[in-house]
Amino acid sequence: MMDMTFDVVVVGGGHAGTEAAAAAARCGAKTLLLTHKLETLGEMSCNPAIGGVGKGHLVREIDALDGLMGRAADAAGIHFKLLNRSKGPAVRGPRAQADRGLYRRAVQALLRAQPGLFLVADSAEDLLLDTTGRCIGVVSGNGRRIGAGAVVITTGTFLRGVIHLGEDRTPAGRVGEAPSVGLALALARLGLPMARLKTGTPPRLDGRTIDWAALEAQPGDDPPEPLSWLTQRITNPQVACAITETNEATHAVIRANLHRSAVYGGRIEGVGPRYCPSIEDKVVRFADKGRHQIFLEPEGLPGGEDGDTIYPNGISTSLPAEVQAALIATMPGLSRAVILRPGYAIEYDHVDPRALRPTLELRAAPGLFLAGQINGTTGYEEAGAQGLMAGLNAAALAGGGAANRVLSRAEAYTGVMIDDLVLQGVSEPYRMLTARSEHRLALRADNAGLRLTEQGMAWACVGPERAAAHGAFAKAVAEALAWAREAGATPAQFAAAGIAINQDGRRRSVLEALALPSAADPAPLEALFPRLREMPMAVRTQVEAEALYAPYLQRQAAEMRALEREERLAIPQELDFSAIPGLSTEMRQRLAKAQPATLGSAGRIAGITPAALAALAVHLRRREARFT
């Protein structure tokens, strides 16, 4: 007998869990979110910042599907920056430094306002399975049996988590919170492939003890650019960050104490993130570099609960507290800085994501979905995007439908990430980078809504406010592009307006003119075509990006169509790869282990040869012909 039953149960209240629970509830599923402490829902355990290059693309995609992260970041943002502004639109990354307390409260307010979502402070200690191995609920810490049509596990760093600070080891999911051991054992009993990873955080500094006058200030953008398309403007006061750097004295302190680092002292088996290394890693791996930049980022507004706390981005460490104090004191502006809380490394269990379907459902336990760091990723944004997709699929499955909410690599960075995870697995914590996408000119942060919101509406996860805003914006962009393709001028008219152009007699459209080098100065074009000046900036951004990338986008569109044809050729779950003629034993083993969902995904498995892919394609098409 069940004590209570829900459509979807989500375990964990971090960035993956909150997005999963909210997404499932938006789809109409009666959803329970189980978390150790309700007051830590939406906690930013590491840097209180959202977005960046690659990561900002994920935030915009979460937002396009009506997720929480972008809106919460805008409500809490105190320092906004569009990274790579001088580069092309495809690699620009919106980022916001947030007030930690304001962000947590914004997430909690959004969750409490979500109909059909129930929040309970408790742990999940075991899984409930039926006789077929399907997950049908969880057992909570107080012994309640909670039934569910689908379960989403988003444990972050809590699965058998251990904090390392110098020679000290403390079982914890994060500072002051117990690890999840019972659930780790329950997952291990399923026979899942599991391993250890590690991540870390820097010491927190008291901003009142920093010599700010000795440092280079880093102001945010003015005006700040919101992360959510629903945010009209940022209303919080904005603060500046600052830059300091390590030096030879800093490095000497670190080298002299490497044996006391948990990483270099041999006390950690897990692999850390390549793109966010500890300061010990930087000093060892980049021994030729005499300095490393450190960004001093406020964790809150002045006068607020976190207003005096500074996050020194770039010196994640597991060295003993007294060594951390010594190395901090060697840096400009920090000679008298007081550490409020030492940095530490944390080691935790994760599941090999190759055990998952593209829906993030475990193949070994139907009805059980995993999202976030449990799948081997690092970062709030990667966790949030996975959580949202897992929540959508869990709601679909619990509602009696198929768990088939999947975004392709051609549609979204979210699709790129999940495809990478379930096909390639991880050897280190996975971080989203724009370089991971073969279609990054089309998958920009600025067009996430145009790419995904209509799909979200079809999945019933987009509310009426966003649907209306999207419809109006899409109409405005379509009209602006149609005008830009039609309107134009002769070379003589361009020259008379002061715009350099070949005098070959050929009329150019506005769209062509926007791609000219002379378009870097917008004034002459605006004088010749006043409608450009009247366009809303968001609409004009779309027109300018289309102009800049038009030739490349046409080629990418053809590549996408070819990819879509391969992705449409599905591989049945029951297919016996050993029965396919022309496949070597090695190819059969690789395919059987990866269990690709489509011909396209089979081609992305490491080591699969073109000949093996051709043999698989012939077999699938023959099979398709027999059943149609």
Side-chain angles (χ1 to χ4, degrees):
M1 295 291 292
M2 298 294 180
D3 293 313
M4 57 182 73
T5 302
F6 292 85
D7 296 323
V8 175
V9 171
V10 177
V11 178
H15 302 280
T18 52
E19 293 291 354
R26 286 200 305 278
C27 292
K30 180 184 176 184
T31 303
L32 172 67
L33 174 56
L34 275 181
T35 186
H36 287 99
K37 298 178 181 178
L38 293 181
E39 58 269 27
T40 60
L41 279 169
E43 183 69 60
M44 305 177 96
S45 301
C46 196
N47 188 4
I50 297 291
V53 179
K55 290 173 175 286
H57 293 68
L58 290 176
V59 178
R60 287 278 175 80
E61 291 178 0
I62 292 168
D63 187 65
L65 294 171
D66 224 3
L68 312 180
M69 188 171 282
R71 285 179 283 164
D74 288 344
I78 58 176
H79 180 101
F80 288 77
K81 201 86 169 178
L82 183 64
L83 305 183
N84 283 344
R85 184 180 289 275
S86 63
K87 298 182 180 179
V91 294
R92 291 174 190 160
R95 182 183 188 271
Q97 190 76 18
D99 180 296
R100 186 185 297 279
L102 290 180
Y103 185 88
R104 184 174 59 247
R105 290 194 286 276
V107 170
Q108 292 173 14
L110 289 167
L111 292 174
R112 292 192 174 101
Q114 176 60 57
L117 177 57
F118 300 83
L119 310 175
V120 172
D122 204 345
S123 62
E125 295 299 325
D126 205 351
L127 300 171
L128 296 173
L129 306 176
D130 67 12
T131 55
T132 68
R134 179 184 181 84
C135 185
I136 56 171
V138 301
V139 179
S140 73
N142 62 16
R144 285 183 294 188
R145 294 165 62 85
I146 304 172
V151 174
V152 184
I153 304 294
T154 68
T155 46
T157 59
F158 277 71
L159 277 187
R160 292 199 311 123
V162 176
I163 284 178
H164 295 264
L165 177 54
E167 294 88 355
D168 298 331
R169 300 173 75 255
T170 306
R174 60 181 167 225
V175 168
E177 296 190 53
S180 179
V181 177
L183 197 55
L185 296 174
L187 291 169
R189 285 196 297 272
L190 293 176
L192 301 176
M194 300 181 73
R196 299 285 274 174
L197 290 175
K198 75 101 176 171
T199 188
T201 191
R204 304 306 200 272
L205 307 181
D206 186 337
R208 295 166 297 186
T209 63
I210 293 174
D211 182 6
W212 296 102
L215 302 172
E216 176 188 346
Q218 292 284 298
D221 290 344
D222 186 16
E225 180 176 310
L227 289 178
S228 172
W229 286 108
L230 292 184
T231 303
Q232 297 301 311
R233 65 187 184 90
I234 302 302
T235 57
N236 285 332
Q238 298 296 288
V239 302
C241 299
I243 293 180
T244 186
E245 58 187 26
T246 65
N247 52 50
E248 285 301 335
T250 316
H251 299 181
V253 171
I254 294 168
R255 283 191 292 266
N257 290 278
L258 275 177
H259 62 287
R260 303 185 68 191
S261 161
V263 176
Y264 285 90
R267 290 178 290 280
I268 291 181
E269 60 179 279
V271 180
R274 176 191 303 263
Y275 299 102
C276 187
S278 68
I279 189 62
E280 297 99 294
D281 278 334
K282 290 179 183 178
V283 169
V284 171
R285 287 164 47 191
F286 309 109
D288 58 320
K289 290 197 66 172
R291 62 188 183 93
H292 297 281
Q293 279 193 333
I294 308 299
F295 294 88
L296 302 176
E297 301 173 335
E299 294 201 356
L301 288 170
E305 60 184 283
D306 298 298
D308 295 324
T309 305
I310 302 299
Y311 184 98
N313 194 345
I315 49 171
S316 170
T317 181
S318 64
L319 286 162
E322 66 273 17
V323 179
Q324 294 184 35
L327 71 90
I328 288 287
T330 64
M331 288 185 264
L334 305 184
S335 61
R336 294 186 298 166
V338 172
I339 294 178
L340 297 175
R341 191 184 80 191
Y344 60 85
I346 185 165
E347 191 178 21
Y348 55 94
D349 284 352
H350 84 99
V351 174
D352 186 334
R354 289 175 292 187
L356 299 166
R357 302 188 193 283
T359 58
L360 300 180
E361 183 183 24
L362 276 167
R363 288 197 294 267
L368 181 58
F369 296 80
L370 307 182
Q373 284 175 287
I374 192 173
N375 291 338
T377 58
T378 182
Y380 306 150
E381 304 82 1
E382 291 86 349
Q386 290 174 74
L388 188 146
M389 297 306 297
L392 295 181
N393 280 296
L397 187 66
N404 58 4
R405 279 37 173 167
V406 175
L407 294 171
S408 73
R409 298 182 72 89
E411 292 176 294
Y413 275 93
T414 300
V416 172
M417 172 179 62
I418 293 175
D419 187 67
D420 285 348
L421 292 173
V422 302
L423 284 179
Q424 311 295 346
V426 297
S427 56
E428 61 190 42
Y430 179 100
R431 176 179 179 173
M432 178 47 64
L433 307 166
T434 54
R436 295 191 190 275
S437 173
E438 54 271 68
H439 304 295
R440 57 185 175 273
L441 298 187
L443 306 184
R444 305 187 306 275
D446 62 72
N447 69 357
L450 294 174
R451 290 187 278 116
L452 297 178
T453 298
E454 287 187 15
Q455 178 65 78
M457 292 162 65
W459 288 340
C461 70
V462 170
E465 181 186 6
R466 186 176 301 276
H470 167 73
F473 180 64
K475 182 174 183 286
V477 171
E479 289 175 350
L481 283 170
W483 168 79
R485 292 187 180 105
E486 180 62 28
T490 64
Q493 290 171 316
F494 278 114
I499 301 166
I501 196 168
N502 287 340
Q503 295 298 306
D504 54 8
R506 185 175 71 83
R507 183 181 183 276
R508 265 81 166 182
S509 69
V510 175
L511 204 64
E512 290 176 286
L514 283 169
L516 296 171
S518 56
D521 177 7
L525 270 179
E526 289 174 352
L528 187 57
F529 303 104
R531 182 168 173 176
L532 282 173
R533 190 184 302 114
E534 298 162 5
M535 278 185 195
M537 184 52 65
V539 173
R540 182 161 170 173
T541 296
Q542 297 303 309
V543 174
E544 290 176 343
E546 177 73 18
L548 181 64
Y549 293 136
Y552 311 101
L553 288 172
Q554 291 170 5
R555 185 166 67 242
Q556 278 201 356
E559 294 170 353
M560 285 182 188
R561 287 192 292 271
L563 176 62
E564 286 168 2
R565 285 194 296 272
E566 291 186 341
E567 294 295 345
R568 282 196 296 268
L569 193 52
I571 299 176
Q573 293 181 21
E574 68 276 9
L575 184 65
D576 181 5
F577 292 104
S578 66
I580 299 177
L583 288 182
S584 68
T585 300
E586 179 189 357
M587 295 299 105
R588 289 168 177 166
Q589 290 172 345
R590 288 181 184 272
L591 289 164
K593 182 177 181 180
Q595 290 290 307
T598 66
L599 181 65
S601 57
R604 294 189 292 277
I605 298 171
I608 293 296
T609 64
L613 202 62
L616 177 59
V618 168
H619 181 83
L620 290 172
R621 292 192 175 105
R622 285 176 178 170
R623 188 180 189 279
E624 187 179 52
R626 287 200 305 272
F627 290 98
T628 55

